[in-house]
Amino acid sequence: MRFLDVLIGSVAVTAALAAPASQADGNLTPTRTIKGKRASKFQFVGVNQSGAEFGNKDLPGTLGKHYTWPVRSTIDTLMSKGFNTFRIPFMMERLIPNQLTGSINTAYAQGLQDIVNYVTSKGAYAVIDPHNFGRYYDKVITDVAGFKAWWTTTAKLFPTNDKVIWDTNNEYHDMDQTLVFNLNQAAIDGIRAAGATSQYILVEGNSWSGAWTWVSSGNGASLLNLKDPQDKIIYEMHQYLDSDGSGTSTACVSSTIGTERLQAATNWLKANNKKGLLGETAGGANAQCIGALTGMLSYMAANSDVWTGWLWWGGGPWWGDYIYGMEPPSGTAYTKVLPSLVPYI
């Protein structure tokens, strides 16, 4: 999410502590999920579960004051609705502090391992998402070898869990295009060097990894030749439906904007025999946005040969009355948007 790198400090988080904790869900239209089977055309459908990346200006930060971890009961409730994938944002600096080639912070790693192991033990996928925008301590990462080392150390936390999915970094932006390629390739190489050979790797692009600018920004051309010896790369793109695509408004441009913004990226995926995932998407709880969202997801379902799925932004126990909140029992999107999304789960 674009605004997280400036949004959340200890004051906002402290205030958010008053937000409702995750608990048993209310009455919503049941999904089409049959126990053990999913009727969806998508391989991955889920929710970003925020919290561990909060307070990103307070490093290392204090658990319960500056950051938190997702709640197990939320995972249970969302899985009961048919969701099978949970992207877990966290901070690189908290997991491996001080330097990219440093050692794991065992306390923070334990929090990550606890929620990831819970998600995967329930049969769902956990996306490991260093939510850093291509930065480390607010500076653009230029140490490609160090980035590979960071990833090798991190991947050793879950080297054999085939329900884990690796996300190289959230929303690179305002960076040299070749550097973004090199960082993605270094992450792939570092993950595989750790012995993590069975899992998918999500690669993200420059320009906030936007689907609507995937081709025009140069991401398509520059990231086309990323190599994975396991051939399990998925191109992760993000798409919001407000006027500037930032995901900061409840207004959507039109009821067809979702489909329109995915067309060029879809054509690129098809032309190059690649797979894509919409790693972040959302819209306001109103008729026009719901129409735009369902139209977009219908378009993706019709092109499920290249689109592996979609993840909503966002959930997490500290969002409170966030405009796109998918946190049960009372999140805005959970109560007002989710019923319309059921056919695409």
Side-chain angles (χ1 to χ4, degrees):
M1 187 64 166
R2 182 177 304 184
F3 60 86
L4 272 178
D5 58 339
V6 295
L7 173 67
I8 305 166
S10 59
V11 175
V13 168
T14 302
L17 284 169
S22 176
Q23 51 187 277
D25 70 296
N27 295 319
L28 288 179
T29 305
T31 69
R32 297 178 299 147
T33 302
I34 301 171
K35 189 173 182 179
K37 299 180 179 180
R38 295 175 66 253
S40 175
K41 288 188 174 183
F42 298 118
Q43 186 175 1
F44 311 109
V45 181
V47 179
N48 285 266
Q49 280 293 306
S50 280
E53 85 286 21
F54 276 32
N56 61 340
K57 302 302 181 183
D58 294 286
L59 297 173
T62 302
L63 178 64
K65 178 181 180 182
H66 301 113
Y67 68 91
T68 190
W69 291 100
V71 179
R72 289 185 174 194
S73 59
T74 291
I75 303 302
D76 295 341
T77 299
L78 293 174
M79 286 190 69
S80 76
K81 300 299 176 186
F83 291 113
N84 75 336
T85 306
F86 300 94
R87 184 169 177 251
I88 303 169
F90 64 94
M91 297 302 297
M92 292 176 65
E93 300 90 343
R94 287 180 178 145
L95 187 65
I96 301 179
N98 304 319
Q99 57 184 359
L100 292 167
T101 54
S103 302
I104 289 281
N105 176 332
T106 55
Y108 193 72
Q110 184 177 357
L112 179 63
Q113 288 172 306
D114 179 71
I115 189 61
V116 169
N117 289 335
Y118 184 76
V119 166
T120 60
S121 74
K122 304 291 285 188
Y125 292 94
V127 178
I128 310 299
D129 166 34
H131 210 77
N132 277 68
F133 306 88
R135 274 76 174 159
Y136 187 71
Y137 288 103
D138 276 341
K139 295 182 179 179
V140 171
I141 300 169
T142 57
D143 181 359
V144 175
F147 191 63
K148 177 182 177 181
W150 186 94
W151 263 114
T152 298
T153 303
T154 298
K156 288 178 180 178
L157 293 173
F158 310 101
T160 60
N161 187 336
D162 62 7
K163 291 292 187 180
V164 163
I165 300 172
W166 308 103
D167 182 342
T168 65
N169 220 258
N170 179 71
E171 294 186 351
Y172 304 93
H173 68 90
D174 299 290
M175 296 167 64
D176 177 77
Q177 201 73 38
T178 299
L179 176 61
V180 173
F181 173 90
N182 289 338
L183 290 174
N184 272 296
Q185 189 62 62
I188 295 167
D189 295 342
I191 290 165
R192 298 311 187 206
T197 58
S198 64
Q199 303 114 329
Y200 290 101
I201 297 177
L202 304 176
V203 298
E204 296 199 37
N206 211 358
S207 300
W208 313 96
S209 211
W212 64 329
T213 59
W214 188 259
V215 176
S216 62
S217 68
N219 279 329
S222 66
L223 300 180
L224 179 62
N225 293 318
L226 289 168
K227 302 296 184 186
D228 173 23
Q230 306 303 318
D231 194 25
K232 301 194 81 169
I233 290 174
I234 297 175
Y235 288 83
E236 180 184 335
M237 307 177 200
H238 298 173
Q239 192 59 66
Y240 295 93
L241 310 179
D242 46 356
S243 60
D244 61 358
S246 64
T248 56
S249 171
T250 58
C252 295
V253 174
S254 71
S255 61
T256 58
I257 191 63
T259 299
E260 293 164 10
R261 286 183 173 173
L262 260 57
Q263 286 176 345
T266 302
N267 292 338
W268 180 86
L269 291 168
K270 286 179 177 288
N272 293 288
N273 195 29
K274 303 297 185 182
K275 298 290 187 180
L277 172 74
L278 207 58
E280 291 185 16
T281 192
N286 56 72
Q288 181 151 293
C289 284
I290 290 172
L293 286 163
T294 55
M296 178 182 72
L297 296 177
S298 179
Y299 174 76
M300 291 175 67
N303 291 282
S304 59
D305 58 322
V306 293
W307 286 110
T308 61
W310 58 275
L311 310 180
W312 184 268
W313 184 278
W318 280 3
W319 275 120
D321 60 357
Y322 175 50
I323 58 173
Y324 303 146
M326 191 61 82
E327 189 75 1
S330 57
T332 299
Y334 183 80
T335 57
K336 299 179 181 178
V337 181
L338 180 56
S340 298
L341 305 184
V342 166
Y344 309 100
I345 295 176

Short mmCIF file of all heavy atoms in Angstrom, two decimals, residues 237-282:
data_model
loop_
_atom_site.label_atom_id
_atom_site.label_comp_id
_atom_site.label_asym_id
_atom_site.label_seq_id
_atom_site.Cartn_x
_atom_site.Cartn_y
_atom_site.Cartn_z
N MET A 237 1.31 -7.54 -9.22
CA MET A 237 0.92 -6.17 -9.53
C MET A 237 -0.14 -5.70 -8.53
O MET A 237 -0.83 -6.52 -7.92
CB MET A 237 0.39 -6.07 -10.95
CG MET A 237 1.33 -6.64 -12.00
SD MET A 237 0.62 -6.59 -13.67
CE MET A 237 1.64 -7.82 -14.50
N HIS A 238 -0.25 -4.39 -8.37
CA HIS A 238 -1.25 -3.82 -7.48
C HIS A 238 -2.15 -2.90 -8.29
O HIS A 238 -1.69 -2.27 -9.26
CB HIS A 238 -0.56 -3.02 -6.36
CG HIS A 238 0.31 -3.86 -5.47
ND1 HIS A 238 1.11 -3.32 -4.49
CD2 HIS A 238 0.48 -5.22 -5.41
CE1 HIS A 238 1.76 -4.29 -3.87
NE2 HIS A 238 1.40 -5.45 -4.42
N GLN A 239 -3.42 -2.84 -7.91
CA GLN A 239 -4.33 -1.96 -8.64
C GLN A 239 -5.46 -1.44 -7.77
O GLN A 239 -6.27 -2.23 -7.26
CB GLN A 239 -4.92 -2.66 -9.87
CG GLN A 239 -5.62 -1.70 -10.81
CD GLN A 239 -4.66 -0.62 -11.31
OE1 GLN A 239 -3.71 -0.91 -12.03
NE2 GLN A 239 -4.89 0.62 -10.91
N TYR A 240 -5.48 -0.12 -7.61
CA TYR A 240 -6.59 0.56 -6.95
C TYR A 240 -7.37 1.32 -8.00
O TYR A 240 -6.91 1.52 -9.14
CB TYR A 240 -6.06 1.47 -5.84
CG TYR A 240 -5.40 0.68 -4.73
CD1 TYR A 240 -4.03 0.43 -4.74
CD2 TYR A 240 -6.17 0.12 -3.71
CE1 TYR A 240 -3.44 -0.34 -3.74
CE2 TYR A 240 -5.59 -0.64 -2.71
CZ TYR A 240 -4.22 -0.86 -2.73
OH TYR A 240 -3.65 -1.62 -1.75
N LEU A 241 -8.56 1.73 -7.64
CA LEU A 241 -9.50 2.21 -8.65
C LEU A 241 -9.87 3.68 -8.49
O LEU A 241 -10.75 4.17 -9.19
CB LEU A 241 -10.77 1.34 -8.60
CG LEU A 241 -10.51 -0.18 -8.65
CD1 LEU A 241 -11.80 -0.95 -8.58
CD2 LEU A 241 -9.71 -0.55 -9.89
N ASP A 242 -9.17 4.39 -7.58
CA ASP A 242 -9.41 5.82 -7.44
C ASP A 242 -8.63 6.57 -8.52
O ASP A 242 -7.90 5.97 -9.32
CB ASP A 242 -9.08 6.32 -6.03
CG ASP A 242 -7.76 5.79 -5.48
OD1 ASP A 242 -7.09 4.98 -6.15
OD2 ASP A 242 -7.39 6.21 -4.37
N SER A 243 -8.78 7.88 -8.56
CA SER A 243 -8.30 8.65 -9.70
C SER A 243 -6.80 8.52 -9.94
O SER A 243 -6.35 8.43 -11.09
CB SER A 243 -8.68 10.13 -9.54
OG SER A 243 -8.10 10.67 -8.37
N ASP A 244 -6.00 8.51 -8.88
CA ASP A 244 -4.55 8.42 -9.07
C ASP A 244 -4.01 7.02 -8.78
O ASP A 244 -2.80 6.81 -8.79
CB ASP A 244 -3.82 9.45 -8.20
CG ASP A 244 -4.06 9.26 -6.71
OD1 ASP A 244 -4.82 8.35 -6.33
OD2 ASP A 244 -3.48 10.05 -5.93
N GLY A 245 -4.89 6.07 -8.53
CA GLY A 245 -4.47 4.70 -8.30
C GLY A 245 -3.72 4.48 -7.01
O GLY A 245 -3.05 3.46 -6.84
N SER A 246 -3.86 5.39 -6.05
CA SER A 246 -3.10 5.31 -4.81
C SER A 246 -3.79 4.50 -3.72
O SER A 246 -3.16 4.13 -2.73
CB SER A 246 -2.81 6.71 -4.27
OG SER A 246 -4.02 7.36 -3.92
N GLY A 247 -5.09 4.26 -3.86
CA GLY A 247 -5.82 3.55 -2.83
C GLY A 247 -6.02 4.38 -1.58
O GLY A 247 -5.89 3.88 -0.47
N THR A 248 -6.39 5.63 -1.78
CA THR A 248 -6.59 6.53 -0.64
C THR A 248 -7.97 7.18 -0.65
O THR A 248 -8.22 8.09 0.13
CB THR A 248 -5.52 7.63 -0.62
OG1 THR A 248 -5.52 8.33 -1.87
CG2 THR A 248 -4.13 7.03 -0.39
N SER A 249 -8.85 6.71 -1.52
CA SER A 249 -10.16 7.33 -1.66
C SER A 249 -11.24 6.27 -1.77
O SER A 249 -11.01 5.16 -2.28
CB SER A 249 -10.21 8.22 -2.91
OG SER A 249 -11.51 8.67 -3.18
N THR A 250 -12.44 6.60 -1.32
CA THR A 250 -13.57 5.70 -1.48
C THR A 250 -14.22 5.84 -2.84
O THR A 250 -15.12 5.08 -3.18
CB THR A 250 -14.63 5.97 -0.40
OG1 THR A 250 -15.07 7.33 -0.50
CG2 THR A 250 -14.08 5.71 0.99
N ALA A 251 -13.79 6.81 -3.63
CA ALA A 251 -14.36 7.04 -4.96
C ALA A 251 -13.61 6.26 -6.02
O ALA A 251 -12.37 6.21 -6.01
CB ALA A 251 -14.34 8.53 -5.28
N CYS A 252 -14.33 5.65 -6.95
CA CYS A 252 -13.73 4.97 -8.09
C CYS A 252 -14.06 5.77 -9.35
O CYS A 252 -15.13 6.36 -9.47
CB CYS A 252 -14.25 3.55 -8.21
SG CYS A 252 -13.75 2.50 -6.82
N VAL A 253 -13.14 5.76 -10.31
CA VAL A 253 -13.26 6.60 -11.50
C VAL A 253 -14.53 6.29 -12.28
O VAL A 253 -15.23 7.19 -12.73
CB VAL A 253 -12.02 6.41 -12.40
CG1 VAL A 253 -12.19 7.15 -13.72
CG2 VAL A 253 -10.76 6.90 -11.68
N SER A 254 -14.82 5.00 -12.43
CA SER A 254 -16.02 4.57 -13.16
C SER A 254 -16.30 3.13 -12.79
O SER A 254 -15.49 2.47 -12.13
CB SER A 254 -15.81 4.70 -14.67
OG SER A 254 -14.89 3.71 -15.13
N SER A 255 -17.40 2.61 -13.25
CA SER A 255 -17.75 1.22 -12.96
C SER A 255 -16.97 0.24 -13.83
O SER A 255 -17.04 -0.98 -13.61
CB SER A 255 -19.25 0.99 -13.16
OG SER A 255 -19.61 1.27 -14.51
N THR A 256 -16.21 0.76 -14.79
CA THR A 256 -15.43 -0.12 -15.68
C THR A 256 -13.92 0.07 -15.52
O THR A 256 -13.14 -0.56 -16.22
CB THR A 256 -15.80 0.15 -17.15
OG1 THR A 256 -15.56 1.53 -17.46
CG2 THR A 256 -17.26 -0.18 -17.42
N ILE A 257 -13.52 0.94 -14.58
CA ILE A 257 -12.11 1.30 -14.48
C ILE A 257 -11.22 0.12 -14.12
O ILE A 257 -10.07 0.04 -14.55
CB ILE A 257 -11.91 2.47 -13.47
CG1 ILE A 257 -10.50 3.04 -13.57
CG2 ILE A 257 -12.24 2.01 -12.06
CD1 ILE A 257 -10.17 3.66 -14.90
N GLY A 258 -11.72 -0.83 -13.33
CA GLY A 258 -10.91 -1.98 -12.95
C GLY A 258 -10.49 -2.80 -14.15
O GLY A 258 -9.31 -3.13 -14.33
N THR A 259 -11.45 -3.11 -14.99
CA THR A 259 -11.15 -3.87 -16.21
C THR A 259 -10.20 -3.10 -17.11
O THR A 259 -9.23 -3.66 -17.63
CB THR A 259 -12.45 -4.19 -16.96
OG1 THR A 259 -13.29 -4.98 -16.12
CG2 THR A 259 -12.17 -4.92 -18.26
N GLU A 260 -10.47 -1.82 -17.28
CA GLU A 260 -9.64 -0.99 -18.16
C GLU A 260 -8.19 -0.95 -17.70
O GLU A 260 -7.27 -1.04 -18.51
CB GLU A 260 -10.21 0.42 -18.23
CG GLU A 260 -11.56 0.50 -18.93
CD GLU A 260 -12.30 1.81 -18.66
OE1 GLU A 260 -11.68 2.74 -18.08
OE2 GLU A 260 -13.49 1.90 -19.01
N ARG A 261 -7.99 -0.85 -16.39
CA ARG A 261 -6.63 -0.72 -15.87
C ARG A 261 -5.83 -2.02 -15.92
O ARG A 261 -4.62 -2.00 -15.76
CB ARG A 261 -6.66 -0.15 -14.45
CG ARG A 261 -6.98 1.34 -14.44
CD ARG A 261 -6.94 1.95 -13.05
NE ARG A 261 -7.10 3.41 -13.14
CZ ARG A 261 -7.22 4.22 -12.10
NH1 ARG A 261 -7.22 3.72 -10.85
NH2 ARG A 261 -7.35 5.52 -12.27
N LEU A 262 -6.50 -3.14 -16.13
CA LEU A 262 -5.79 -4.42 -16.20
C LEU A 262 -5.51 -4.91 -17.61
O LEU A 262 -4.77 -5.87 -17.80
CB LEU A 262 -6.59 -5.51 -15.45
CG LEU A 262 -6.12 -5.85 -14.04
CD1 LEU A 262 -6.10 -4.61 -13.15
CD2 LEU A 262 -6.98 -6.94 -13.44
N GLN A 263 -6.07 -4.24 -18.60
CA GLN A 263 -6.00 -4.78 -19.96
C GLN A 263 -4.58 -4.87 -20.51
O GLN A 263 -4.18 -5.91 -21.06
CB GLN A 263 -6.90 -3.96 -20.88
CG GLN A 263 -8.37 -4.24 -20.65
CD GLN A 263 -9.30 -3.37 -21.48
OE1 GLN A 263 -8.88 -2.35 -22.04
NE2 GLN A 263 -10.56 -3.74 -21.54
N ALA A 264 -3.79 -3.82 -20.37
CA ALA A 264 -2.44 -3.84 -20.94
C ALA A 264 -1.57 -4.89 -20.24
O ALA A 264 -0.81 -5.61 -20.90
CB ALA A 264 -1.79 -2.45 -20.82
N ALA A 265 -1.70 -4.99 -18.92
CA ALA A 265 -0.93 -5.99 -18.18
C ALA A 265 -1.35 -7.40 -18.57
O ALA A 265 -0.51 -8.30 -18.69
CB ALA A 265 -1.10 -5.78 -16.68
N THR A 266 -2.65 -7.60 -18.76
CA THR A 266 -3.15 -8.91 -19.17
C THR A 266 -2.57 -9.30 -20.53
O THR A 266 -2.12 -10.44 -20.73
CB THR A 266 -4.69 -8.91 -19.23
OG1 THR A 266 -5.20 -8.55 -17.94
CG2 THR A 266 -5.22 -10.26 -19.64
N ASN A 267 -2.56 -8.36 -21.44
CA ASN A 267 -2.01 -8.63 -22.77
C ASN A 267 -0.53 -8.97 -22.68
O ASN A 267 -0.03 -9.84 -23.40
CB ASN A 267 -2.23 -7.42 -23.68
CG ASN A 267 -3.70 -7.22 -24.02
OD1 ASN A 267 -4.51 -8.14 -23.93
ND2 ASN A 267 -4.06 -6.00 -24.40
N TRP A 268 0.19 -8.26 -21.79
CA TRP A 268 1.63 -8.53 -21.61
C TRP A 268 1.83 -9.94 -21.06
O TRP A 268 2.71 -10.68 -21.53
CB TRP A 268 2.24 -7.50 -20.66
CG TRP A 268 3.69 -7.70 -20.41
CD1 TRP A 268 4.75 -7.24 -21.15
CD2 TRP A 268 4.28 -8.44 -19.32
NE1 TRP A 268 5.95 -7.65 -20.61
CE2 TRP A 268 5.69 -8.39 -19.48
CE3 TRP A 268 3.75 -9.13 -18.22
CZ2 TRP A 268 6.57 -8.99 -18.58
CZ3 TRP A 268 4.63 -9.75 -17.33
CH2 TRP A 268 6.01 -9.68 -17.51
N LEU A 269 1.05 -10.32 -20.06
CA LEU A 269 1.18 -11.66 -19.49
C LEU A 269 0.94 -12.73 -20.55
O LEU A 269 1.68 -13.71 -20.66
CB LEU A 269 0.18 -11.83 -18.34
CG LEU A 269 0.45 -11.04 -17.06
CD1 LEU A 269 -0.77 -11.08 -16.14
CD2 LEU A 269 1.68 -11.56 -16.32
N LYS A 270 -0.11 -12.54 -21.35
CA LYS A 270 -0.44 -13.52 -22.38
C LYS A 270 0.65 -13.59 -23.46
O LYS A 270 1.06 -14.68 -23.88
CB LYS A 270 -1.78 -13.17 -23.01
CG LYS A 270 -2.98 -13.48 -22.13
CD LYS A 270 -4.29 -13.09 -22.81
CE LYS A 270 -5.49 -13.45 -21.96
NZ LYS A 270 -5.73 -14.92 -21.91
N ALA A 271 1.11 -12.42 -23.89
CA ALA A 271 2.09 -12.38 -24.97
C ALA A 271 3.41 -13.02 -24.57
O ALA A 271 4.13 -13.57 -25.42
CB ALA A 271 2.33 -10.93 -25.39
N ASN A 272 3.72 -12.99 -23.27
CA ASN A 272 5.01 -13.49 -22.81
C ASN A 272 4.90 -14.78 -22.00
O ASN A 272 5.89 -15.22 -21.40
CB ASN A 272 5.69 -12.41 -21.97
CG ASN A 272 6.07 -11.21 -22.81
OD1 ASN A 272 6.99 -11.27 -23.61
ND2 ASN A 272 5.33 -10.11 -22.65
N ASN A 273 3.70 -15.37 -21.99
CA ASN A 273 3.48 -16.66 -21.31
C ASN A 273 3.89 -16.58 -19.84
O ASN A 273 4.59 -17.46 -19.31
CB ASN A 273 4.26 -17.78 -22.02
CG ASN A 273 3.79 -19.16 -21.59
OD1 ASN A 273 2.62 -19.35 -21.22
ND2 ASN A 273 4.68 -20.13 -21.63
N LYS A 274 3.46 -15.50 -19.17
CA LYS A 274 3.76 -15.28 -17.76
C LYS A 274 2.49 -15.38 -16.92
O LYS A 274 1.38 -15.29 -17.43
CB LYS A 274 4.40 -13.91 -17.55
CG LYS A 274 5.68 -13.67 -18.36
CD LYS A 274 6.80 -14.62 -17.97
CE LYS A 274 8.08 -14.28 -18.72
NZ LYS A 274 9.18 -15.24 -18.40
N LYS A 275 2.69 -15.54 -15.61
CA LYS A 275 1.58 -15.57 -14.67
C LYS A 275 1.60 -14.30 -13.81
O LYS A 275 2.66 -13.79 -13.47
CB LYS A 275 1.70 -16.79 -13.75
CG LYS A 275 1.63 -18.13 -14.47
CD LYS A 275 0.24 -18.42 -15.02
CE LYS A 275 0.17 -19.83 -15.59
NZ LYS A 275 -1.18 -20.12 -16.14
N GLY A 276 0.41 -13.81 -13.46
CA GLY A 276 0.30 -12.62 -12.64
C GLY A 276 -0.59 -12.84 -11.44
O GLY A 276 -1.44 -13.74 -11.42
N LEU A 277 -0.38 -12.02 -10.42
CA LEU A 277 -1.22 -12.00 -9.23
C LEU A 277 -1.50 -10.55 -8.87
O LEU A 277 -0.57 -9.72 -8.86
CB LEU A 277 -0.51 -12.68 -8.05
CG LEU A 277 -1.22 -12.56 -6.69
CD1 LEU A 277 -2.43 -13.48 -6.64
CD2 LEU A 277 -0.27 -12.89 -5.55
N LEU A 278 -2.74 -10.23 -8.60
CA LEU A 278 -3.08 -8.89 -8.13
C LEU A 278 -2.90 -8.91 -6.61
O LEU A 278 -3.79 -9.32 -5.87
CB LEU A 278 -4.52 -8.55 -8.52
CG LEU A 278 -4.84 -7.05 -8.68
CD1 LEU A 278 -3.93 -6.40 -9.71
CD2 LEU A 278 -6.29 -6.87 -9.07
N GLY A 279 -1.73 -8.48 -6.17
CA GLY A 279 -1.36 -8.62 -4.77
C GLY A 279 -2.02 -7.63 -3.83
O GLY A 279 -2.06 -7.86 -2.62
N GLU A 280 -2.52 -6.52 -4.39
CA GLU A 280 -3.30 -5.55 -3.61
C GLU A 280 -4.37 -4.97 -4.52
O GLU A 280 -4.08 -4.54 -5.65
CB GLU A 280 -2.43 -4.39 -3.10
CG GLU A 280 -1.43 -4.75 -2.03
CD GLU A 280 -0.69 -3.53 -1.50
OE1 GLU A 280 -1.16 -2.38 -1.73
OE2 GLU A 280 0.37 -3.70 -0.86
N THR A 281 -5.57 -4.94 -4.04
CA THR A 281 -6.65 -4.23 -4.71
C THR A 281 -7.72 -3.91 -3.69
O THR A 281 -7.83 -4.57 -2.65
CB THR A 281 -7.24 -5.03 -5.88
OG1 THR A 281 -8.08 -4.16 -6.67
CG2 THR A 281 -8.05 -6.23 -5.41
N ALA A 282 -8.51 -2.88 -3.98
CA ALA A 282 -9.61 -2.49 -3.09
C ALA A 282 -10.39 -1.37 -3.75
O ALA A 282 -9.94 -0.74 -4.71
CB ALA A 282 -9.09 -2.04 -1.72
#
